[in-house]
Amino acid sequence: MRTVPGATDHVVVVGAGLSGLAAALHLLGAGRRVTVVERDAGPGGRAGRLELGGYRVDTGPTVLTMPHLADEAFAAVGDSLHRRVELVPLHPAYRARFADGTGIDVHTDGDAMEAEVRRFAGDAEAAGYRRLRRWLERLYRAQMRRFIDTNFDSPFQLLHPDLARLAALGGFGRLDPQIGRFLCDPRLRRVFSFQALYAGVAPARALAAYAVIAYMDTVAGVWFPKGGMNALPRAMADAAADAGGEFRWSAEAEALERSAGRVRAVRLATGERIACDAVVLTPDLPVVHRLLGRAPRRPVALRHAPSAVVLHAGTDRTWPELAHHTLSFGAAWEHTFDELTRTGRLMSDPSLLITRPTTHDPSLAPPGRHLHYVLAPCPNTTTGPSAGTWRGLGERYRDSLMAVLERRGLDGFASSVERELLVTPADWTAQGHAAGTPFSVSHTFAQTGPFRPRNLVRGHDNVVLAGCGTTPGVGVPTVLLSGKLAAARITGLSRTTAARRRPPVLEGQSR
């Protein structure tokens, strides 16, 4: 593994999102002095927090899987995720509701899910689910250490027996047909393939290897941090500060001072200059390229994932049919993915993720009130409406979302809303996200593994990248890994100890 040459005693981490905080903790654990600079007033980055008239709103991801990856970062400084954050295992992980009026609870316990599939679709589908679960577990084991939790220096690193194992499992086929080997019911196939959208690819075109995301969601378990998702980065920042890390809040990195191929200091918008031996850059790629002075050359331009419209709604009532996470599927499926990724039209029959965090933490809303987060995938601003168009389109789309929710059984949703915030691709653009999407670069084959933007920057000996635009990719588990992998580029410690790597025992699990 290539590492940063020369002195690395003092490292500046730009950005206090999950990847930057993970990098800081792993660097501190390896004995480095660390200064984190963050443009916002507190930690989180994409996983931020805002106050909305008494409602405490998570501005980013709402689904937490693979929490042992966060625990690895805490363990690097002798701390523990479970000492800092109260995690609630979600049962069910999701509730799926379909256009025909049927629904199924998605359990991560194998026996419970088998029984639920049998009730929903019969014995044959229940047996198919068991085979699918075993396949997902084998797929995860074939990929995790060799292709996800690893720093790539060359595509030739792919040439390993695990590649043959992945191929034998069908990992290089298409996701939807591979899921179809186990499940015939199209509703169930959606439950185990919609996760491809997290990677920015339609299930019909995604590599089957991306079923590893379904493993994380439907086998490994889903958790909710009390206090909301922002409780995780806040706890990570506290642990880093207790371990000696320095933080500069409301401090935007404006420029990098360079000489002889190395960054010598980070200059803030306030004029302050922070000398350093190495830098970890975690902002979105356009900001990184601006700081570096150029974007690296690629034979083909980067393609970005679809975006999303998010409606945060504080309401005076809720609906018992909603679980903590509810997937509301429209009748259309393949056609909507064409709209998202090819034609650039808004989904004519949207599938939605509805999250109700007050299910497990009523303190996130005023007494007797509820918080709902409605995510509707939409085209990015390269494929679909521009950021400028969204400034006029947003309110009309908000009204159409309200109508969809009411048609799907949430009667009175619009009239129940007391506080709301609508986030569109115009807002993601204003935050510096390329193509108006918070999901960064999509996971096509040419943008995955060794073909994704590398975390070492050519021409800059002591600059390392972390975050969803680099290795290994998009999602809470992967950005936590990206911080660890970035730290390893600086420290040369490519693996944590076996004790730290072992997932902790969580409620409902055994070793």
Side-chain angles (χ1 to χ4, degrees):
M1 181 185 67
R2 290 176 54 204
T3 58
V4 169
T8 59
D9 297 331
H10 180 207
V11 183
V12 172
V13 177
V14 178
L18 292 172
S19 63
L21 293 168
L25 287 165
H26 284 285
L27 288 165
L28 288 163
R32 301 309 193 269
R33 178 186 162 207
V34 176
T35 301
V36 181
V37 298
E38 167 56 51
R39 68 179 180 180
D40 293 334
R46 282 173 170 84
R49 159 69 56 79
L50 62 83
E51 298 289 331
L52 190 65
Y55 295 89
R56 293 189 292 156
V57 176
D58 283 320
T59 60
T62 63
V63 179
L64 177 62
T65 61
M66 312 293 281
H68 69 274
L69 297 176
D71 196 47
E72 281 188 4
F74 285 96
V77 294
D79 210 325
S80 165
L81 167 65
H82 305 284
R83 189 175 76 84
R84 297 273 183 178
V85 182
E86 181 183 352
L87 294 183
V88 179
L90 297 186
H91 306 299
Y94 296 95
R95 176 166 293 153
R97 296 174 61 85
F98 302 95
D100 63 1
T102 60
I104 184 172
D105 284 350
V106 181
H107 298 281
T108 53
D109 175 78
D111 292 338
M113 188 59 185
E114 182 180 1
E116 180 71 351
V117 171
R118 181 173 290 109
R119 176 200 66 79
F120 181 76
D123 290 341
E125 293 295 271
Y129 161 73
R130 272 297 185 186
R131 295 194 304 273
L132 171 63
R133 186 181 178 95
R134 289 193 293 270
W135 179 71
L136 291 173
E137 291 169 341
R138 293 169 64 196
L139 198 70
Y140 172 79
R141 289 195 298 269
Q143 288 189 77
M144 186 60 179
R145 292 197 61 176
R146 183 61 52 184
F147 305 117
I148 300 175
D149 186 8
T150 192
N151 273 314
F152 282 102
D153 292 320
S154 165
F156 292 109
Q157 284 177 247
L158 293 173
L159 302 179
H160 184 275
D162 282 343
L163 185 69
R165 295 187 185 98
L166 185 57
L169 288 167
F172 296 108
R174 296 300 176 190
L175 175 61
D176 195 53
Q178 288 292 338
I179 299 296
R181 290 170 47 217
F182 305 99
L183 299 171
C184 296
D185 190 303
R187 298 167 300 175
L188 290 175
R189 289 168 67 170
R190 291 186 188 187
V191 168
F192 291 96
S193 64
F194 82 91
Q195 295 88 351
L197 192 58
Y198 296 159
V201 188
R205 298 197 300 274
L207 290 178
Y210 294 137
V212 71
I213 310 174
Y215 166 87
M216 296 176 184
D217 271 9
T218 67
V219 177
V222 177
W223 280 262
F224 171 70
K226 281 291 188 74
M229 284 290 288
N230 185 250
L232 175 57
R234 282 188 282 117
M236 294 174 75
D238 290 344
D242 289 348
E246 300 176 54
F247 285 86
R248 308 291 175 86
W249 304 113
S250 303
E252 186 168 3
E254 185 175 73
L256 305 177
E257 295 183 10
R258 290 162 290 192
S259 67
R262 292 179 74 89
V263 172
R264 307 293 177 175
V266 175
R267 192 168 70 247
L268 305 182
T270 59
E272 181 182 1
R273 177 183 182 275
I274 305 176
C276 60
D277 299 305
V279 179
V280 177
L281 299 177
T282 72
D284 209 21
L285 290 176
V287 178
V288 168
H289 296 157
R290 176 181 61 79
L291 290 171
L292 294 174
R294 63 178 178 85
R297 294 179 181 176
R298 289 180 64 91
V300 179
L302 291 172
R303 293 177 56 188
H304 288 81
S307 186
V309 173
V310 178
L311 173 65
H312 301 281
T315 64
D316 62 9
R317 60 167 293 194
T318 190
W319 293 262
E321 60 266 37
L322 293 177
H324 190 110
H325 296 298
T326 301
L327 296 164
S328 175
F329 290 107
W333 188 239
E334 291 84 358
H335 177 63
T336 57
F337 284 105
D338 281 341
E339 292 171 329
L340 288 172
T341 62
R342 291 185 174 181
T343 66
R345 296 189 179 95
L346 299 180
M347 285 190 296
S348 53
D349 186 18
S351 291
L352 309 172
L353 170 63
I354 305 167
T355 296
R356 185 178 61 183
T358 43
T359 303
H360 288 95
D361 191 349
S363 71
L364 296 174
R369 299 299 188 261
H370 307 271
L371 185 57
H372 298 85
Y373 163 111
V374 182
L375 183 147
C378 70
N380 63 42
T381 56
T382 300
T383 306
S386 67
T389 302
W390 269 107
R391 294 188 184 98
L393 175 61
E395 283 303 312
R396 298 197 303 275
Y397 191 64
R398 173 259 186 208
D399 292 342
S400 71
L401 275 181
M402 292 284 193
V404 168
L405 292 170
E406 300 225 8
R407 284 198 305 270
R408 294 185 185 176
L410 304 189
D411 300 321
F413 188 91
S415 62
S416 75
V417 176
E418 295 184 332
R419 296 278 182 169
E420 68 176 276
L421 175 68
L422 186 74
V423 183
T424 75
D427 301 291
W428 303 125
T429 299
Q431 292 176 30
H433 300 315
T437 173
F439 304 115
S440 191
V441 178
S442 64
H443 283 262
T444 60
F445 179 78
Q447 296 179 170
T448 298
F451 310 113
R452 200 165 180 81
R454 302 271 181 91
N455 59 4
L456 283 182
V457 180
R458 184 173 298 175
H460 298 78
D461 290 346
N462 62 342
V463 176
V464 186
L465 306 187
C468 57
T470 186
T471 304
V474 179
V476 172
T478 39
V479 298
L480 290 169
L481 283 173
S482 80
K484 183 181 77 168
L485 294 173
R489 291 291 196 184
I490 293 171
T491 65
L493 302 175
S494 60
R495 296 287 177 193
T496 55
T497 66
R500 288 178 181 171
R501 290 186 62 83
R502 186 182 302 126
V505 175
L506 301 175
E507 183 180 330
Q509 284 190 333
S510 63
R511 290 278 188 209

